[in-house]
């Protein structure tokens, strides 16, 4: 049991270390690309990118003492980390109904989930991991075990890590739920407007028919009754103008109510949801793309 706990603690500490190093690399890479310090990256609130940690562990465990040449390390590492990225992208999209990153703009890519440029960088990172980084990291982990600090530290960090995962998953689910509600408000408004337009069309048609009847009556009246017929026609025109004003007011009221409901949803978005959206600037929703765009624009305008 003790050996099992020690092995689990060792793997977990390695996972956190490589997740942190991956997060650092992601921040540097994105900041260089944007030519300024980018927003915090990663799904979690802490300075961790678990996809790098899991990828590093998978590569180290798969390679072991085999394929101990730079060429094979590069190829195997590139293949495994690319597979991890693809599976993670697919799983997160199916789970949260959103695409968290997209490489569709790259020439050599697969379904926008992975691209050759990143795969080559992953292969180079695996070379550094195996021959330069991992031996030093393991020396540090062994030092913690030698002083009896590894297990308590792993236990504390596990609690924090699990709490961060729960909070981040909750935020992602809330974003999806918020987009669903915004879409529902949009659909309700569109349906309401169509109903009002149809009511207005029918009312206008009824008024038109009454006016035609009045005009016909005026034409058939005797000359001495023409003035009275024209006056009756004008009287029929007044309700028509009032009808137009009434429907305009109802349309405006429906739009105003929908906008207020949408603003309430925008305002209820907490800091963790907003952080998650900032961390993934390429985040988009196949179902609610326009709603996500509007939500982003709202908070961008709020920051100005």
């Amino acid at each position: 049991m003790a050996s099992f706990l020690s092995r689990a603690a060792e793997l977990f500490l390695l996972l956190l270390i490589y997740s942190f190093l991956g997060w650092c690399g992601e921040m540097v890479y994105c900041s260089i690309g944007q030519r300024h310090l980018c927003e915090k990256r990663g799904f979690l609130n802490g300075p961790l990118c678990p996809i790098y940690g899991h990828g590093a562990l998978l590569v180290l465990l798969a390679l072991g003492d085999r394929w101990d040449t730079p060429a094979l390390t590069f190829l195997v590492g590139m293949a495994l980390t690319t597979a991890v990225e693809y599976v993670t992208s697919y799983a997160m999209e199916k789970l949260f109904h959103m695409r968290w990153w997209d490489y569709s703009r790259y020439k050599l890519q697969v379904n926008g989930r992975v691209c050759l440029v990143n795969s080559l960088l992953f292969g180079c990172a695996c070379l550094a991991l195996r021959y330069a980084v991992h031996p030093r990291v393991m020396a540090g982990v062994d030092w913690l075990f030698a002083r009896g600090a590894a297990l308590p530290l792993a236990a504390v960090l596990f609690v924090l890590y699990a709490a961060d995962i729960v909070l981040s998953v909750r935020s992602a689910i809330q974003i999806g739920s918020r987009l669903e509600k915004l879409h529902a408000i949009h659909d309700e408004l569109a349906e309401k407007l169509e109903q009002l337009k149809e009511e207005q069309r029918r009312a206008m048609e009824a008024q038109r028919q009454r006016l035609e009847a009045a005009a016909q009556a005026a034409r058939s009246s005797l000359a001495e009754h023409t003035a009275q017929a024209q006056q009756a026609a004008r009287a029929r025109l007044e309700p028509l103008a009032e009808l137009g004003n009434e429907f305009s007011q109802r349309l405006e009221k429906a739009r105003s109510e929908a906008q207020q409901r949408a603003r309430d949803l925008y305002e209820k978005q907490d800091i963790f949801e907003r952080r998650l959206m900032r961390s993934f600037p390429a985040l988009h929703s196949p179902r609610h793309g326009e709603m996500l765009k509007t939500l982003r624009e709202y908070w961008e305008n709020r920051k100005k």
Side-chain angles (χ1 to χ4, degrees):
M1 184 64 178
S3 61
F4 172 79
L5 289 177
S6 296
R7 181 58 174 167
E10 177 186 295
L11 291 176
F12 179 68
L13 289 174
L14 289 175
L15 171 67
L16 292 187
I17 292 170
Y18 291 131
S19 295
F20 173 71
L21 293 177
W23 177 83
C24 292
E26 180 88 3
M27 289 291 293
V28 171
Y29 177 76
C30 293
S31 296
I32 291 174
Q34 298 178 16
R35 298 183 180 179
H36 63 81
L37 184 63
C38 68
E39 293 277 0
K40 180 194 169 298
R41 310 292 290 186
F43 184 76
L44 300 183
N45 294 287
L48 300 171
C49 282
I51 188 173
Y52 292 103
H54 287 93
L57 284 184
L58 178 62
V59 169
L60 291 171
L61 293 173
L63 291 175
D65 296 328
R66 299 166 293 175
W67 302 313
D68 194 11
T69 66
L72 287 174
T73 297
F74 177 85
L75 293 174
V76 173
M78 181 178 69
L80 290 176
T81 51
T82 299
V84 169
E85 184 176 35
Y86 191 97
V87 171
T88 302
S89 171
Y90 180 83
M92 290 182 70
E93 182 175 349
K94 293 301 180 183
L95 181 61
F96 302 114
H97 308 295
M98 289 182 284
R99 177 71 71 91
W100 295 84
W101 60 85
D102 191 351
Y103 302 130
S104 298
R105 67 184 184 279
Y106 291 88
K107 290 183 179 179
L108 299 175
Q109 49 84 25
V110 180
N111 298 328
R113 303 186 189 281
V114 294
C115 65
L116 181 61
V117 172
N118 280 9
S119 296
L120 294 173
L121 291 174
F122 291 155
C124 294
C126 289
L127 288 173
L129 170 70
R130 189 175 197 188
Y131 297 111
V133 178
H134 187 61
R136 291 170 174 79
V137 169
M138 278 305 304
V141 172
D142 290 339
W143 182 86
L144 289 173
F145 273 102
R147 282 155 181 76
L151 286 176
L153 179 61
V156 172
L157 292 177
F158 178 79
V159 172
L160 296 176
Y161 182 67
D164 198 348
I165 290 176
V166 171
L167 183 59
S168 299
V169 169
R170 168 186 169 275
S171 297
I173 292 174
Q174 284 182 324
I175 292 174
S177 175
R178 203 170 302 280
L179 295 178
E180 289 278 359
K181 292 176 181 178
L182 286 170
H183 203 144
I185 291 173
H186 179 272
D187 289 346
E188 288 174 14
L189 176 60
E191 184 179 352
K192 180 68 172 178
L193 294 181
E194 286 299 320
Q195 290 176 352
L196 289 174
K197 288 177 182 179
E198 181 61 20
E199 289 180 23
Q200 185 180 32
R201 187 192 66 77
R202 292 177 180 177
M204 295 285 283
E205 178 63 21
Q207 286 289 72
R208 186 187 65 78
Q209 293 175 359
R210 286 195 290 270
L211 285 173
E212 288 180 354
Q216 181 64 32
R219 287 193 294 269
S220 62
S221 297
L222 296 175
E224 61 271 17
H225 295 150
T226 300
Q228 292 89 331
Q230 290 176 346
Q231 184 177 359
R234 284 194 297 271
R236 292 174 181 270
L237 282 172
E238 291 176 0
L240 187 62
E242 294 175 359
L243 183 65
N245 291 333
E246 177 191 349
F247 276 101
S248 296
Q249 292 172 3
R250 291 173 65 186
L251 285 171
E252 184 59 33
K253 182 180 179 182
R255 289 194 183 96
S256 178
E257 289 176 350
Q259 290 171 355
Q260 183 58 52
R261 290 171 61 194
R263 278 194 296 270
D264 290 342
L265 282 173
Y266 298 153
E267 291 295 335
K268 289 179 181 178
Q269 190 178 36
D270 60 36
I271 58 173
F272 299 106
E273 293 178 60
R274 298 199 295 274
R275 194 282 307 167
L276 196 57
M277 290 176 61
R278 291 194 303 270
S279 295
F280 291 89
L283 176 69
H284 68 272
S285 170
R287 296 183 180 181
H288 314 299
E290 285 301 316
M291 300 300 105
L292 181 58
K293 180 181 177 182
T294 303
L295 187 58
R296 282 191 185 278
E297 291 175 348
Y298 177 84
W299 285 109
E300 286 296 324
N301 293 332
R302 281 290 301 272
K303 289 195 300 184
K304 296 178 180 178

